[in-house]
Amino acid sequence: MESLSPPIMFDFSTGSGGTIVTPGKKPAGETSNSNKKCKRYFNEHWKEEFTWLEFDYERKLMFCIECRQALVKNKHGKAENAFTVGTDNFQRHALLRHVTSGAHRQALAVNSEQLAMELQFHQEMKSVIKAEMDPSKIAILTTVYSMAKEGISSGKLCSLLELQKFNLCEALLSSEHNEYYHPSSVREMQAAIVKVLHHEDRQRLKESPFIGLVIDETVDIVEHRNLVVFATSVSPCDGQLHITFLGRFELPSGEANCINDKVLEVLNEFHVPLKKVAWLSSDGSSLMIDRVNGVGEKLRSICPLMTQLHCIFHRRALLPAENFLSAEYASKYESIMDAVYRLYGNKNGENQTFQELQNVLQFCSIDLNSADAVHWTSILPAVETIDSSWPTLVLLLESESTTSPIANGLCAELKKFWFVAFTKVLLDILPIFQKLNQFFQIEELDVSMVNPIVSASQATLLAQKSTSGQNFQEFLNELNEHPGEDNESRFYYKGVELADCSKSKLKSFEQLKEACLENVCRSLQDRFPSNVLKVISSFSIVFNPKCYPSSLDDIGTYGEEELRHLLQSFSHMLVAERASNDFALFKRIVFSLSHLTFRDICVKLIHSSSEMHELFPDFTVLAAIVLVLPLGSALYDKINRAEDLWKQSHRQGGADGGLSDVLKISIDGPALNELDFARAIDYFEDMRQTEPFATEEKWEMVHLRK
C-alpha cells in the first residue's frame, strides 16, 4: 500500500533530509536563535503552512523562494530583505509578518507577470511550429477531428476533402504528395489525436490535488460487459471542475476482482497515485456496493482516502431489478413488458394505446433493435403507460389470442394478480427514486440538501411497509370480490377477472411487498451510508456561508462537531490541532463572505495565490477534496452522452477497435483552436513509421487535384 501523504500540489510533504518537528522539541543537529532568551527551532510544519518557505539545513536559515526569485526592493530601498538573505528568527509570527508584507506581495506579482510572459512565449512558439507544419496535414487532421466530434462516419472523409477542395481550400489545393495521409488511416489519425488528449488529461490529473472516480458497468442482452470510467479533477489555478472520460473497456467477466484490476490499470495508465482518489461513485449495483466483496470495498482497501457515494442514477435505470427481493419475478415482469412494447410499440394504426406506447419509446429514447437490455422496471413512464392502458391491452390481447399464441400468452400474464399488484408497487416506489435522480442532476447542486433528501426518501419507503403506498392501496380498494360456486371468491379489477387471486394470495403478496421495500431501503442505505452523509453535511456546515448563523454572536461553538468529524474522516491528510486552532478565525472570515456560495469559498481556498490558501492549509485540503465530489448535471450529461454515442456507433456498424477513440474525441475534445494538432501530427507519423504499411492502402494526395 502506498504511504498516505498530502498531494504534492500543495507542497505539504516534508523537506528532503528534514524531520517533522513538534513545537518544543529539538531536532538532531538543529541550531537555535542565539539572540533570543529562549531557544527556538525551525518547525517542519511551517513548510506545510507557508509553501514559499525554504530552509537551508547546512546554514540553518529560512528563505522565501518567491522573494529570492523576484529580488524585490523593500520600503527602505534595499535589494534584499531578511527572507532573501536568510533569517534564523524561528517564530511563526515572523512568517505571518512576511507573508503580509509589501515586499512579499510585490514578489508574487512580479513572479506571476514573469510566468504569464513565459506562457505567452510558449503559445507564440506553438503558433510558429503550427505555421511551419504542412498545411495539408493540418487540414486533413482537423477534418478527421471534426468528423469524430460531430459523429460523422469516417467513410465520408474523401467526400468532405473533395468538398473542401471544391470550395478552394488553399491547404488542400497546394498539398504535396504524402503517403501517410489517406482514408484508410483515419483510425490511426484518431488514435494520435486521442494521444494528445490523454497527454493533457495526465497533466490535468497531476495538477489536481485529489480526484473523484466514476465507474459504470454496462451489460447488453448477449452478456457483453464493458466498464466506462470517468474522473473528476479540479484546477488549482481557477477552481474549475473537469470531468474527464478515461475510456470504455471490455471486461472478460463481471466479477469484482476483474473490475478492480481494470480500474487499477486505468489509474496506472493515467499516472494517478492511489492516495489521490478521494471519491468513488457508481450506479449502485450490488457488485459495486457489497460491503464484503464489492468493488468499492476492494478499492477502499488500497485507496485509504476514498469515500464511496453511489449516486449515479441513469435516466433509464432508476431502480435495478436486483434491488427487489424477488429478482426472479422482477425479471419475469420485465420480459412481459418487453413483449408488450415489442408487439404494439411499433404497430401502425389509430388505436390510442398504440400511440401511447410509441410515445414512451420516443420520449425515453428506447431502441428495441439495440443489443442493450431495457430495464423496464426502472422506467417510470413505461410502467405508468402499462398501468393506464391495462384494461385496453387486455381486451386487445383477448381479441387476438385465437390467432396469435404470443397474444394469448401475454393476455394470461397481464390478467394475473401479481402483474397488476407489482405494477402498483412500482408506481409507488419509482417516483421516489425519480426525485433523487433529478436532485443529483441539478447543475448547481446544494450539498447541504444531500442528507435531508436521502433521509426523507428512506423514511418514505419505510412508511410504505406498514401503510401501503397510494397506488397499491387504491388498487386494493377497487378490487371487487364476488363469491364463487366453489366457495372461492373471485376478484375483479376494472371489470376484468384477475387470475391467481385469492385472499391467501393477497396476504402473501402483502408480506412479499414489505420484504421488497425492506430490501430496497437497505440498498439505498448501502448506496448512501450514514457516515458518508454525515461527511457531506459536515462539509456544508463548515464551508457554506448560507448555513452559518445570522449573527456573529452565535458563531462561537458553531460547526465544531462537524469539523471534528471531518478531521477524523481525513485524519491522514490534516494537522488536527492546527485546524482546530484556526477554525475560529476561519469561521469569522466565512461569515464575512456571506454573499459567496459554498463553491466560491472552496475555490478561494484552493487558489494558490489567495490569502485563505496561505492562512488555512488544512481547510484548503478539505476544500480540494469536496470540490472533486462527482455530482451535478455536467457529469450526468457526459455519462449519458457516452452511452448514446456508443449505441449510435454500433447502429452505424462501427468497429469496437476505434470506437473508444471516437468517444473520447466526441466527449472531451476541445474547440479546434485549442487542440495541439502539431503534436498530433508528430504522434501520427511516429505511429506510421513504426507500423507495416501496405502499398495497396496508400492514397496519394495528388488524387485530390483531379
Side-chain angles (χ1 to χ4, degrees), residues 357-393:
L357 295 173
Q358 291 167 10
N359 289 342
V360 169
L361 298 178
Q362 294 175 2
F363 177 75
C364 299
S365 303
I366 299 173
D367 181 9
L368 295 177
N369 296 320
S370 170
D372 296 307
V374 182
H375 300 292
W376 297 102
T377 55
S378 301
I379 306 174
L380 181 58
V383 178
E384 288 175 332
T385 302
I386 288 291
D387 177 66
S388 62
S389 305
W390 182 79
T392 307
L393 283 171

mmCIF file of all heavy atoms in Angstrom, residues 357-393:
data_model
loop_
_atom_site.group_PDB
_atom_site.id
_atom_site.type_symbol
_atom_site.label_atom_id
_atom_site.label_comp_id
_atom_site.label_asym_id
_atom_site.label_seq_id
_atom_site.Cartn_x
_atom_site.Cartn_y
_atom_site.Cartn_z
ATOM 1 N N LEU A 357 -47.904 3.852 -26.299
ATOM 2 C CA LEU A 357 -46.717 3.012 -26.170
ATOM 3 C C LEU A 357 -45.570 3.545 -27.022
ATOM 4 O O LEU A 357 -44.404 3.543 -26.597
ATOM 5 C CB LEU A 357 -47.049 1.578 -26.570
ATOM 6 C CG LEU A 357 -48.064 0.836 -25.686
ATOM 7 C CD1 LEU A 357 -48.422 -0.519 -26.297
ATOM 8 C CD2 LEU A 357 -47.506 0.637 -24.286
ATOM 9 N N GLN A 358 -45.901 3.996 -28.229
ATOM 10 C CA GLN A 358 -44.873 4.561 -29.108
ATOM 11 C C GLN A 358 -44.295 5.849 -28.527
ATOM 12 O O GLN A 358 -43.093 6.111 -28.643
ATOM 13 C CB GLN A 358 -45.466 4.825 -30.495
ATOM 14 C CG GLN A 358 -45.793 3.546 -31.265
ATOM 15 C CD GLN A 358 -46.650 3.803 -32.493
ATOM 16 O OE1 GLN A 358 -46.852 4.953 -32.892
ATOM 17 N NE2 GLN A 358 -47.182 2.736 -33.088
ATOM 18 N N ASN A 359 -45.143 6.649 -27.875
ATOM 19 C CA ASN A 359 -44.669 7.893 -27.248
ATOM 20 C C ASN A 359 -43.640 7.603 -26.155
ATOM 21 O O ASN A 359 -42.673 8.349 -25.982
ATOM 22 C CB ASN A 359 -45.849 8.677 -26.663
ATOM 23 C CG ASN A 359 -46.736 9.283 -27.745
ATOM 24 O OD1 ASN A 359 -46.320 9.420 -28.896
ATOM 25 N ND2 ASN A 359 -47.960 9.625 -27.380
ATOM 26 N N VAL A 360 -43.868 6.512 -25.410
ATOM 27 C CA VAL A 360 -42.914 6.134 -24.362
ATOM 28 C C VAL A 360 -41.558 5.804 -24.979
ATOM 29 O O VAL A 360 -40.512 6.236 -24.492
ATOM 30 C CB VAL A 360 -43.443 4.934 -23.545
ATOM 31 C CG1 VAL A 360 -42.346 4.371 -22.635
ATOM 32 C CG2 VAL A 360 -44.650 5.338 -22.718
ATOM 33 N N LEU A 361 -41.572 5.035 -26.059
ATOM 34 C CA LEU A 361 -40.316 4.654 -26.715
ATOM 35 C C LEU A 361 -39.561 5.880 -27.208
ATOM 36 O O LEU A 361 -38.334 5.961 -27.081
ATOM 37 C CB LEU A 361 -40.597 3.703 -27.877
ATOM 38 C CG LEU A 361 -41.251 2.359 -27.517
ATOM 39 C CD1 LEU A 361 -41.504 1.541 -28.786
ATOM 40 C CD2 LEU A 361 -40.373 1.564 -26.559
ATOM 41 N N GLN A 362 -40.293 6.851 -27.753
ATOM 42 C CA GLN A 362 -39.654 8.061 -28.272
ATOM 43 C C GLN A 362 -39.171 8.956 -27.133
ATOM 44 O O GLN A 362 -38.035 9.451 -27.152
ATOM 45 C CB GLN A 362 -40.632 8.817 -29.166
ATOM 46 C CG GLN A 362 -40.988 8.069 -30.446
ATOM 47 C CD GLN A 362 -42.061 8.777 -31.255
ATOM 48 O OE1 GLN A 362 -42.515 9.858 -30.884
ATOM 49 N NE2 GLN A 362 -42.487 8.158 -32.354
ATOM 50 N N PHE A 363 -40.012 9.148 -26.129
ATOM 51 C CA PHE A 363 -39.673 10.044 -25.023
ATOM 52 C C PHE A 363 -38.473 9.534 -24.228
ATOM 53 O O PHE A 363 -37.613 10.314 -23.809
ATOM 54 C CB PHE A 363 -40.886 10.191 -24.092
ATOM 55 C CG PHE A 363 -40.620 11.035 -22.877
ATOM 56 C CD1 PHE A 363 -40.526 12.418 -22.979
ATOM 57 C CD2 PHE A 363 -40.456 10.451 -21.627
ATOM 58 C CE1 PHE A 363 -40.272 13.198 -21.856
ATOM 59 C CE2 PHE A 363 -40.196 11.220 -20.508
ATOM 60 C CZ PHE A 363 -40.111 12.603 -20.624
ATOM 61 N N CYS A 364 -38.408 8.228 -24.037
ATOM 62 C CA CYS A 364 -37.321 7.625 -23.258
ATOM 63 C C CYS A 364 -36.158 7.165 -24.124
ATOM 64 O O CYS A 364 -35.211 6.542 -23.613
ATOM 65 C CB CYS A 364 -37.848 6.442 -22.437
ATOM 66 S SG CYS A 364 -39.125 6.904 -21.246
ATOM 67 N N SER A 365 -36.221 7.452 -25.430
ATOM 68 C CA SER A 365 -35.134 7.086 -26.367
ATOM 69 C C SER A 365 -34.804 5.603 -26.290
ATOM 70 O O SER A 365 -33.636 5.202 -26.195
ATOM 71 C CB SER A 365 -33.872 7.924 -26.088
ATOM 72 O OG SER A 365 -34.153 9.291 -26.166
ATOM 73 N N ILE A 366 -35.829 4.775 -26.322
ATOM 74 C CA ILE A 366 -35.642 3.324 -26.241
ATOM 75 C C ILE A 366 -35.618 2.744 -27.651
ATOM 76 O O ILE A 366 -36.570 2.914 -28.419
ATOM 77 C CB ILE A 366 -36.774 2.663 -25.421
ATOM 78 C CG1 ILE A 366 -36.764 3.209 -23.991
ATOM 79 C CG2 ILE A 366 -36.624 1.143 -25.414
ATOM 80 C CD1 ILE A 366 -37.937 2.755 -23.156
ATOM 81 N N ASP A 367 -34.523 2.092 -27.974
ATOM 82 C CA ASP A 367 -34.368 1.445 -29.276
ATOM 83 C C ASP A 367 -34.527 -0.057 -29.080
ATOM 84 O O ASP A 367 -33.654 -0.726 -28.529
ATOM 85 C CB ASP A 367 -33.000 1.767 -29.867
ATOM 86 C CG ASP A 367 -32.790 1.136 -31.239
ATOM 87 O OD1 ASP A 367 -33.774 0.586 -31.799
ATOM 88 O OD2 ASP A 367 -31.656 1.177 -31.741
ATOM 89 N N LEU A 368 -35.659 -0.602 -29.521
ATOM 90 C CA LEU A 368 -35.931 -2.026 -29.335
ATOM 91 C C LEU A 368 -35.030 -2.901 -30.196
ATOM 92 O O LEU A 368 -34.941 -4.111 -29.956
ATOM 93 C CB LEU A 368 -37.406 -2.318 -29.647
ATOM 94 C CG LEU A 368 -38.419 -1.660 -28.713
ATOM 95 C CD1 LEU A 368 -39.846 -1.966 -29.161
ATOM 96 C CD2 LEU A 368 -38.216 -2.117 -27.274
ATOM 97 N N ASN A 369 -34.376 -2.301 -31.181
ATOM 98 C CA ASN A 369 -33.460 -3.069 -32.029
ATOM 99 C C ASN A 369 -32.031 -3.075 -31.496
ATOM 100 O O ASN A 369 -31.153 -3.717 -32.069
ATOM 101 C CB ASN A 369 -33.466 -2.494 -33.452
ATOM 102 C CG ASN A 369 -34.824 -2.625 -34.118
ATOM 103 O OD1 ASN A 369 -35.491 -3.654 -33.963
ATOM 104 N ND2 ASN A 369 -35.254 -1.598 -34.834
ATOM 105 N N SER A 370 -31.811 -2.346 -30.404
ATOM 106 C CA SER A 370 -30.474 -2.282 -29.826
ATOM 107 C C SER A 370 -30.137 -3.576 -29.102
ATOM 108 O O SER A 370 -31.021 -4.316 -28.658
ATOM 109 C CB SER A 370 -30.394 -1.102 -28.844
ATOM 110 O OG SER A 370 -29.202 -1.146 -28.107
ATOM 111 N N ALA A 371 -28.828 -3.834 -28.974
ATOM 112 C CA ALA A 371 -28.386 -5.037 -28.265
ATOM 113 C C ALA A 371 -28.474 -4.868 -26.752
ATOM 114 O O ALA A 371 -28.343 -5.829 -26.006
ATOM 115 C CB ALA A 371 -26.944 -5.368 -28.646
ATOM 116 N N ASP A 372 -28.691 -3.631 -26.293
ATOM 117 C CA ASP A 372 -28.745 -3.374 -24.857
ATOM 118 C C ASP A 372 -30.089 -3.810 -24.275
ATOM 119 O O ASP A 372 -31.162 -3.559 -24.854
ATOM 120 C CB ASP A 372 -28.536 -1.886 -24.568
ATOM 121 C CG ASP A 372 -27.151 -1.428 -24.979
ATOM 122 O OD1 ASP A 372 -26.177 -2.048 -24.543
ATOM 123 O OD2 ASP A 372 -27.062 -0.462 -25.753
ATOM 124 N N ALA A 373 -30.025 -4.443 -23.110
ATOM 125 C CA ALA A 373 -31.246 -4.844 -22.416
ATOM 126 C C ALA A 373 -31.947 -3.602 -21.868
ATOM 127 O O ALA A 373 -31.307 -2.659 -21.413
ATOM 128 C CB ALA A 373 -30.911 -5.802 -21.279
ATOM 129 N N VAL A 374 -33.276 -3.597 -21.917
ATOM 130 C CA VAL A 374 -34.077 -2.482 -21.408
ATOM 131 C C VAL A 374 -34.572 -2.840 -20.011
ATOM 132 O O VAL A 374 -35.244 -3.851 -19.825
ATOM 133 C CB VAL A 374 -35.272 -2.178 -22.332
ATOM 134 C CG1 VAL A 374 -36.057 -0.988 -21.794
ATOM 135 C CG2 VAL A 374 -34.801 -1.921 -23.751
ATOM 136 N N HIS A 375 -34.229 -2.019 -19.028
ATOM 137 C CA HIS A 375 -34.655 -2.263 -17.650
ATOM 138 C C HIS A 375 -36.019 -1.593 -17.434
ATOM 139 O O HIS A 375 -36.117 -0.489 -16.902
ATOM 140 C CB HIS A 375 -33.610 -1.726 -16.672
ATOM 141 C CG HIS A 375 -32.269 -2.361 -16.827
ATOM 142 N ND1 HIS A 375 -32.030 -3.676 -16.508
ATOM 143 C CD2 HIS A 375 -31.093 -1.862 -17.289
ATOM 144 C CE1 HIS A 375 -30.756 -3.968 -16.753
ATOM 145 N NE2 HIS A 375 -30.175 -2.881 -17.234
ATOM 146 N N TRP A 376 -37.067 -2.304 -17.832
ATOM 147 C CA TRP A 376 -38.408 -1.732 -17.808
ATOM 148 C C TRP A 376 -38.875 -1.369 -16.409
ATOM 149 O O TRP A 376 -39.645 -0.415 -16.234
ATOM 150 C CB TRP A 376 -39.401 -2.704 -18.458
ATOM 151 C CG TRP A 376 -39.132 -2.963 -19.914
ATOM 152 C CD1 TRP A 376 -38.541 -4.049 -20.463
ATOM 153 C CD2 TRP A 376 -39.456 -2.090 -21.005
ATOM 154 N NE1 TRP A 376 -38.456 -3.926 -21.831
ATOM 155 C CE2 TRP A 376 -39.020 -2.735 -22.196
ATOM 156 C CE3 TRP A 376 -40.059 -0.834 -21.108
ATOM 157 C CZ2 TRP A 376 -39.175 -2.167 -23.444
ATOM 158 C CZ3 TRP A 376 -40.219 -0.272 -22.361
ATOM 159 C CH2 TRP A 376 -39.779 -0.929 -23.514
ATOM 160 N N THR A 377 -38.460 -2.095 -15.387
ATOM 161 C CA THR A 377 -38.896 -1.789 -14.021
ATOM 162 C C THR A 377 -38.293 -0.483 -13.512
ATOM 163 O O THR A 377 -38.665 -0.015 -12.434
ATOM 164 C CB THR A 377 -38.495 -2.928 -13.058
ATOM 165 O OG1 THR A 377 -37.091 -3.171 -13.159
ATOM 166 C CG2 THR A 377 -39.252 -4.198 -13.372
ATOM 167 N N SER A 378 -37.362 0.094 -14.263
ATOM 168 C CA SER A 378 -36.725 1.349 -13.859
ATOM 169 C C SER A 378 -37.276 2.547 -14.615
ATOM 170 O O SER A 378 -36.878 3.680 -14.338
ATOM 171 C CB SER A 378 -35.215 1.274 -14.093
ATOM 172 O OG SER A 378 -34.657 0.215 -13.370
ATOM 173 N N ILE A 379 -38.154 2.325 -15.562
ATOM 174 C CA ILE A 379 -38.623 3.406 -16.432
ATOM 175 C C ILE A 379 -40.046 3.771 -16.032
ATOM 176 O O ILE A 379 -41.019 3.081 -16.392
ATOM 177 C CB ILE A 379 -38.555 2.988 -17.908
ATOM 178 C CG1 ILE A 379 -37.141 2.507 -18.246
ATOM 179 C CG2 ILE A 379 -38.954 4.143 -18.811
ATOM 180 C CD1 ILE A 379 -36.997 1.931 -19.630
ATOM 181 N N LEU A 380 -40.181 4.830 -15.270
ATOM 182 C CA LEU A 380 -41.485 5.230 -14.735
ATOM 183 C C LEU A 380 -42.528 5.482 -15.831
ATOM 184 O O LEU A 380 -43.662 4.991 -15.714
ATOM 185 C CB LEU A 380 -41.313 6.465 -13.846
ATOM 186 C CG LEU A 380 -42.585 6.998 -13.187
ATOM 187 C CD1 LEU A 380 -43.235 5.925 -12.323
ATOM 188 C CD2 LEU A 380 -42.273 8.243 -12.352
ATOM 189 N N PRO A 381 -42.233 6.228 -16.912
ATOM 190 C CA PRO A 381 -43.254 6.440 -17.951
ATOM 191 C C PRO A 381 -43.748 5.129 -18.576
ATOM 192 O O PRO A 381 -44.928 5.010 -18.920
ATOM 193 C CB PRO A 381 -42.534 7.307 -18.993
ATOM 194 C CG PRO A 381 -41.449 7.983 -18.239
ATOM 195 C CD PRO A 381 -41.004 7.001 -17.209
ATOM 196 N N ALA A 382 -42.840 4.153 -18.723
ATOM 197 C CA ALA A 382 -43.235 2.868 -19.309
ATOM 198 C C ALA A 382 -44.202 2.130 -18.386
ATOM 199 O O ALA A 382 -45.200 1.548 -18.840
ATOM 200 C CB ALA A 382 -42.005 2.005 -19.575
ATOM 201 N N VAL A 383 -43.933 2.147 -17.083
ATOM 202 C CA VAL A 383 -44.817 1.482 -16.118
ATOM 203 C C VAL A 383 -46.148 2.224 -16.033
ATOM 204 O O VAL A 383 -47.221 1.594 -15.961
ATOM 205 C CB VAL A 383 -44.136 1.420 -14.734
ATOM 206 C CG1 VAL A 383 -45.073 0.781 -13.704
ATOM 207 C CG2 VAL A 383 -42.836 0.627 -14.810
ATOM 208 N N GLU A 384 -46.107 3.552 -16.039
ATOM 209 C CA GLU A 384 -47.353 4.345 -15.975
ATOM 210 C C GLU A 384 -48.240 4.061 -17.178
ATOM 211 O O GLU A 384 -49.479 3.957 -17.040
ATOM 212 C CB GLU A 384 -47.007 5.837 -15.928
ATOM 213 C CG GLU A 384 -46.411 6.287 -14.606
ATOM 214 C CD GLU A 384 -45.975 7.740 -14.637
ATOM 215 O OE1 GLU A 384 -45.635 8.243 -15.731
ATOM 216 O OE2 GLU A 384 -45.950 8.368 -13.566
ATOM 217 N N THR A 385 -47.643 3.928 -18.357
ATOM 218 C CA THR A 385 -48.436 3.667 -19.568
ATOM 219 C C THR A 385 -49.044 2.267 -19.538
ATOM 220 O O THR A 385 -50.199 2.084 -19.946
ATOM 221 C CB THR A 385 -47.554 3.849 -20.815
ATOM 222 O OG1 THR A 385 -47.023 5.177 -20.830
ATOM 223 C CG2 THR A 385 -48.353 3.622 -22.086
ATOM 224 N N ILE A 386 -48.289 1.278 -19.078
ATOM 225 C CA ILE A 386 -48.845 -0.071 -18.936
ATOM 226 C C ILE A 386 -50.019 -0.059 -17.972
ATOM 227 O O ILE A 386 -51.062 -0.696 -18.200
ATOM 228 C CB ILE A 386 -47.759 -1.054 -18.441
ATOM 229 C CG1 ILE A 386 -46.743 -1.335 -19.547
ATOM 230 C CG2 ILE A 386 -48.370 -2.369 -17.951
ATOM 231 C CD1 ILE A 386 -47.278 -2.146 -20.714
ATOM 232 N N ASP A 387 -49.892 0.699 -16.886
ATOM 233 C CA ASP A 387 -50.962 0.772 -15.890
ATOM 234 C C ASP A 387 -52.221 1.438 -16.451
ATOM 235 O O ASP A 387 -53.329 0.914 -16.307
ATOM 236 C CB ASP A 387 -50.470 1.541 -14.667
ATOM 237 C CG ASP A 387 -51.552 1.728 -13.622
ATOM 238 O OD1 ASP A 387 -51.999 0.711 -13.042
ATOM 239 O OD2 ASP A 387 -51.964 2.880 -13.375
ATOM 240 N N SER A 388 -52.036 2.596 -17.093
ATOM 241 C CA SER A 388 -53.207 3.323 -17.609
ATOM 242 C C SER A 388 -53.858 2.604 -18.784
ATOM 243 O O SER A 388 -55.073 2.747 -19.017
ATOM 244 C CB SER A 388 -52.793 4.742 -18.019
ATOM 245 O OG SER A 388 -51.831 4.700 -19.068
ATOM 246 N N SER A 389 -53.075 1.827 -19.543
ATOM 247 C CA SER A 389 -53.605 1.134 -20.728
ATOM 248 C C SER A 389 -54.013 -0.305 -20.427
ATOM 249 O O SER A 389 -54.415 -1.028 -21.348
ATOM 250 C CB SER A 389 -52.553 1.137 -21.851
ATOM 251 O OG SER A 389 -52.116 2.432 -22.154
ATOM 252 N N TRP A 390 -53.896 -0.736 -19.172
ATOM 253 C CA TRP A 390 -54.088 -2.149 -18.844
ATOM 254 C C TRP A 390 -55.432 -2.722 -19.320
ATOM 255 O O TRP A 390 -55.440 -3.773 -19.984
ATOM 256 C CB TRP A 390 -53.917 -2.354 -17.334
ATOM 257 C CG TRP A 390 -54.044 -3.779 -16.898
ATOM 258 C CD1 TRP A 390 -53.112 -4.757 -16.978
ATOM 259 C CD2 TRP A 390 -55.208 -4.380 -16.336
ATOM 260 N NE1 TRP A 390 -53.599 -5.943 -16.492
ATOM 261 C CE2 TRP A 390 -54.895 -5.739 -16.089
ATOM 262 C CE3 TRP A 390 -56.491 -3.914 -16.018
ATOM 263 C CZ2 TRP A 390 -55.812 -6.627 -15.542
ATOM 264 C CZ3 TRP A 390 -57.409 -4.794 -15.463
ATOM 265 C CH2 TRP A 390 -57.058 -6.139 -15.230
ATOM 266 N N PRO A 391 -56.579 -2.082 -19.028
ATOM 267 C CA PRO A 391 -57.855 -2.683 -19.491
ATOM 268 C C PRO A 391 -57.919 -2.815 -21.011
ATOM 269 O O PRO A 391 -58.378 -3.839 -21.537
ATOM 270 C CB PRO A 391 -58.918 -1.706 -18.971
ATOM 271 C CG PRO A 391 -58.252 -0.949 -17.872
ATOM 272 C CD PRO A 391 -56.825 -0.836 -18.285
ATOM 273 N N THR A 392 -57.436 -1.775 -21.721
ATOM 274 C CA THR A 392 -57.471 -1.805 -23.185
ATOM 275 C C THR A 392 -56.534 -2.875 -23.732
ATOM 276 O O THR A 392 -56.872 -3.589 -24.696
ATOM 277 C CB THR A 392 -57.074 -0.429 -23.746
ATOM 278 O OG1 THR A 392 -57.882 0.580 -23.157
ATOM 279 C CG2 THR A 392 -57.250 -0.399 -25.255
ATOM 280 N N LEU A 393 -55.359 -2.997 -23.128
ATOM 281 C CA LEU A 393 -54.406 -4.015 -23.567
ATOM 282 C C LEU A 393 -54.982 -5.421 -23.393
ATOM 283 O O LEU A 393 -54.810 -6.289 -24.268
ATOM 284 C CB LEU A 393 -53.099 -3.890 -22.771
ATOM 285 C CG LEU A 393 -52.149 -2.756 -23.161
ATOM 286 C CD1 LEU A 393 -51.018 -2.635 -22.153
ATOM 287 C CD2 LEU A 393 -51.594 -2.997 -24.568
#
